[in-house]
Amino acid sequence: MSNVKLNDKFMWGGAIAAYQAEGGWNVDDKGYSNWDHFSNSDNNPFNINNVSGNDATDFYHHYKEDIKLLAEGGHNSFRFSLSWTRIIPEGVGKRSAAGIAFYNDVINTCLKYGLEPNVTIHHYDIPQKFEDEFGGWKDKRLIDYYFDYAKVCLEEFGDRVKLWTTLNEPRFYSYCGYVMGNWPPHKHKDLQSYWETVYNQLIASAKVVKYFKENNYEGYIGIVHDHGTVEVSPETRDKEYVYNHAELFFNSLVLDMCAKGKIPTNLEKFLKESGYDTSFINYQDENLLKEGIVDFLGINSYQRFYVTDSTGETIVTHNNTGKKSNEKESIKLKDWFDITEPEHVSRNFWGREVYPEAIYKGIKDVSEKYPGFPIVITENGHAVYDTPDETGYVEDDDRIEVLQQFVDYVLKARDDGYDVQGYFVWSAFDVWSWVNGYVKRYGLIRVDENDNFKRIPKKSFYWFKDIIKTNQITL
Ligand code: BG6
């Protein structure tokens, strides 16, 4: 256990992200983001399901009702993100009074209902302008723009928000944007940009953490990583090689930089061996990284990575169409590793393995490699096709069955002495899924986009309420 107590009580809550929940994409003076661009470009070839997050689930107009409902569900905290272009419409410079007023009211409403706000400064949405002008996170200029934006967030909301995270899943963001290509800026198998953009985000994060500490903000600041334990299949020839490469790719680049304040020792070596340009790595950055070590680690836990020897060219697959496709979420990375198929795998309709033990293994792995950091499960969830009855009620027993196992493993991890201080289900209520829109749902509360975004608690909402009631834990 660490000496840090992020809250008085274990945090039970739900999570959402600005672009996926808010809607109101062009209200007041809100600026234009990369995801607004995704939704509003005519005939966007990358928008394969032809979805638009313009209205998302209209949190912008429903937040009071939503937060009240979460409190009724027994939640004592709420994770949400801030939209850069709602706060600073042009990305840099003038602040939007309307945007700031909105978030002030969200925060104040949380506090009124006894929900600790757990605020993420950046959850995938950047001003489109920076994507157009210089290629977004590819360019180190974004580090300073992001830093200026983060300072505004701390200045405006830091008197009441005590739990911050700088970035949501820098690795997965870069993976989908530059390797998979299903998210903006839609580059495919551009591994060079993958490494560079993860690196740049981690430098940006460290700048904010350092600033937070230097300015004695009250509370704690962390980062959110999409963690999955790397498991090497038994028939693998060179187990150590495969493990080290996969661990660097999936976890240690992010975690070493933010928790050890170090560039992973094998980063430059492995990249050089594979012919990458490593000039973006600057060991002088370690001075900043050391001063920008986080207070806690936010772990989004959905899966593990089961790997074996590389068998050939890089192949990346993803299932963006649900049960219409048999495609699995997978990568074979030339000369590094292949994701392979463990036996008896159960998968969701979008081809992702459903493996609840991953959450326990993840907590253990991170605690052992990065001792002393409290862990918060900042996301965990299960996507299904929800079928409401005529009243809009959803009996989501399938979701409950999976989430129950995940929660049991989190509680077991605590019992076994691991310092887990919170669990946030993805998602608090239905939100817009990045490329699957309203089809792929995770929420414990149904949002009916065809009926004025009406909110109807699902069976899982009551299940979670019960879990919370019977597991009140003082930290
Ligand atoms: C996480 C993200 O990776 O997974 C969320 O932080 C996201 O924003 C969630 O929605 C589920 O992903 P998807 O693509 O299935 O909606």
Side-chain angles (χ1 to χ4, degrees), residues 17 20 123-124 168-169 172 183 300 302 379 426 433-434 440 442:
Q20 295 179 274
H123 191 129
Y124 305 159
N168 181 71
E169 300 186 350
F172 196 60
W183 291 2
N300 287 357
Y302 290 92
E379 281 182 35
W426 183 268
S433 173
W434 300 101
K440 188 180 190 185
Y442 288 85

Coordinates of all heavy atoms in Angstrom, one line a residue, residues 17 20 123-124 168-169 172 183 300 302 379 426 433-434 440 442, ligand 1:
A17 N -16.6 10.4 -21.6 CA -15.6 11.4 -22.1 C -16.4 12.5 -22.9 O -17.5 12.2 -23.3 CB -14.7 10.6 -23.1
Q20 N -17.8 11.9 -26.4 CA -18.7 10.8 -26.5 C -20.1 11.1 -25.8 O -21.0 10.4 -26.0 CB -18.1 9.6 -25.9 CG -16.9 9.1 -26.7 CD -16.3 7.9 -26.0 OE1 -15.5 8.0 -25.1 NE2 -16.7 6.7 -26.4
H123 N -9.1 13.7 -23.6 CA -9.6 12.3 -23.9 C -9.8 12.3 -25.4 O -10.9 12.4 -25.9 CB -10.8 12.0 -23.1 CG -11.2 10.6 -23.2 ND1 -11.5 9.9 -22.0 CD2 -11.5 9.7 -24.2 CE1 -11.9 8.6 -22.4 NE2 -11.9 8.5 -23.7
Y124 N -8.8 12.3 -26.2 CA -8.7 12.1 -27.7 C -9.1 13.3 -28.5 O -9.0 13.2 -29.7 CB -9.6 10.9 -28.1 CG -9.4 9.6 -27.5 CD1 -10.5 8.7 -27.5 CD2 -8.2 9.2 -26.9 CE1 -10.3 7.4 -27.0 CE2 -8.1 7.9 -26.4 CZ -9.1 7.0 -26.4 OH -9.0 5.8 -25.9
N168 N -6.0 10.6 -21.4 CA -6.6 9.3 -21.5 C -5.9 8.5 -22.6 O -5.9 8.8 -23.7 CB -8.1 9.4 -21.9 CG -8.8 8.0 -21.9 OD1 -9.0 7.4 -20.9 ND2 -9.1 7.5 -23.1
E169 N -5.3 7.4 -22.1 CA -4.8 6.3 -23.1 C -4.0 6.9 -24.2 O -4.3 6.7 -25.4 CB -6.0 5.5 -23.7 CG -6.8 4.8 -22.7 CD -7.8 3.9 -23.3 OE1 -8.0 4.0 -24.5 OE2 -8.5 3.1 -22.6
F172 N -3.3 4.0 -26.8 CA -4.4 3.5 -27.6 C -4.8 4.6 -28.6 O -5.2 4.3 -29.8 CB -5.6 3.1 -26.8 CG -6.6 2.2 -27.5 CD1 -6.2 1.0 -28.1 CD2 -7.9 2.6 -27.6 CE1 -7.1 0.2 -28.7 CE2 -8.8 1.8 -28.3 CZ -8.4 0.6 -28.9
W183 N -9.3 5.8 -36.4 CA -9.6 7.1 -35.8 C -8.8 8.2 -36.5 O -7.7 7.9 -37.1 CB -9.2 7.1 -34.3 CG -10.0 6.2 -33.4 CD1 -11.1 5.4 -33.8 CD2 -9.8 6.0 -32.0 NE1 -11.5 4.7 -32.6 CE2 -10.8 5.1 -31.6 CE3 -8.9 6.5 -31.1 CZ2 -10.9 4.7 -30.2 CZ3 -9.1 6.1 -29.7 CH2 -10.0 5.2 -29.3
N300 N -7.2 1.7 -17.4 CA -8.4 1.3 -18.2 C -8.1 -0.2 -18.5 O -7.2 -0.5 -19.2 CB -8.6 2.1 -19.4 CG -9.0 3.5 -19.1 OD1 -9.3 3.9 -18.0 ND2 -9.2 4.3 -20.2
Y302 N -9.5 -3.6 -20.0 CA -10.5 -4.3 -20.8 C -10.0 -5.7 -21.3 O -10.8 -6.6 -21.6 CB -10.8 -3.6 -22.1 CG -11.6 -2.3 -21.9 CD1 -11.0 -1.1 -21.7 CD2 -13.0 -2.3 -21.9 CE1 -11.7 0.1 -21.5 CE2 -13.7 -1.1 -21.7 CZ -13.1 0.1 -21.5 OH -13.8 1.2 -21.3
E379 N -11.4 2.8 -16.1 CA -12.5 2.3 -17.0 C -12.4 0.8 -16.9 O -11.3 0.2 -16.9 CB -12.2 2.7 -18.4 CG -12.6 4.1 -18.8 CD -12.4 4.4 -20.3 OE1 -12.5 3.5 -21.1 OE2 -12.0 5.6 -20.6
W426 N -17.1 1.7 -17.3 CA -17.4 2.4 -18.6 C -18.6 1.7 -19.2 O -18.6 0.5 -19.4 CB -16.2 2.2 -19.5 CG -16.4 2.9 -20.8 CD1 -17.0 2.5 -22.0 CD2 -16.2 4.3 -21.1 NE1 -17.1 3.4 -22.9 CE2 -16.6 4.6 -22.4 CE3 -15.6 5.4 -20.3 CZ2 -16.5 5.9 -23.0 CZ3 -15.5 6.6 -20.9 CH2 -15.9 6.8 -22.2
S433 N -20.1 5.6 -29.1 CA -18.9 4.8 -29.3 C -18.2 5.3 -30.6 O -18.8 5.4 -31.6 CB -19.2 3.3 -29.4 OG -18.1 2.6 -29.7
W434 N -16.9 5.5 -30.5 CA -16.1 6.3 -31.5 C -16.4 6.0 -32.9 O -16.6 6.9 -33.7 CB -14.6 6.1 -31.2 CG -14.2 6.6 -29.9 CD1 -14.0 5.8 -28.8 CD2 -14.1 7.9 -29.4 NE1 -13.7 6.6 -27.7 CE2 -13.8 7.9 -28.0 CE3 -14.2 9.2 -30.0 CZ2 -13.6 9.1 -27.3 CZ3 -14.0 10.3 -29.3 CH2 -13.7 10.3 -27.9
K440 N -23.0 0.2 -30.3 CA -22.2 -0.5 -29.3 C -22.3 0.2 -28.0 O -21.9 1.3 -27.8 CB -20.7 -0.4 -29.8 CG -19.7 -1.3 -29.0 CD -18.4 -1.1 -29.6 CE -17.3 -2.0 -29.1 NZ -16.0 -1.7 -29.6
Y442 N -22.3 0.5 -23.7 CA -21.6 0.1 -22.5 C -22.3 0.5 -21.2 O -22.0 0.1 -20.1 CB -20.2 0.7 -22.4 CG -19.1 0.1 -23.3 CD1 -19.0 0.6 -24.6 CD2 -18.2 -0.8 -22.9 CE1 -18.0 0.2 -25.5 CE2 -17.2 -1.3 -23.7 CZ -17.1 -0.8 -25.0 OH -16.1 -1.2 -25.8
Ligands
BG6_1 C1 -11.5 3.2 -24.0 C2 -11.8 4.6 -24.2 O1 -10.4 2.8 -24.7 O2 -12.5 2.3 -24.5 C3 -13.2 5.0 -24.3 O3 -11.1 5.4 -23.2 C4 -13.9 4.1 -25.2 O4 -13.3 6.4 -24.8 C5 -13.9 2.7 -24.6 O5 -15.2 4.4 -25.6 C6 -14.6 1.7 -25.4 O6 -14.2 1.8 -26.8 P1 -15.2 1.6 -28.0 O7 -14.5 2.0 -29.2 O8 -15.7 0.2 -27.9 O9 -16.4 2.6 -27.7

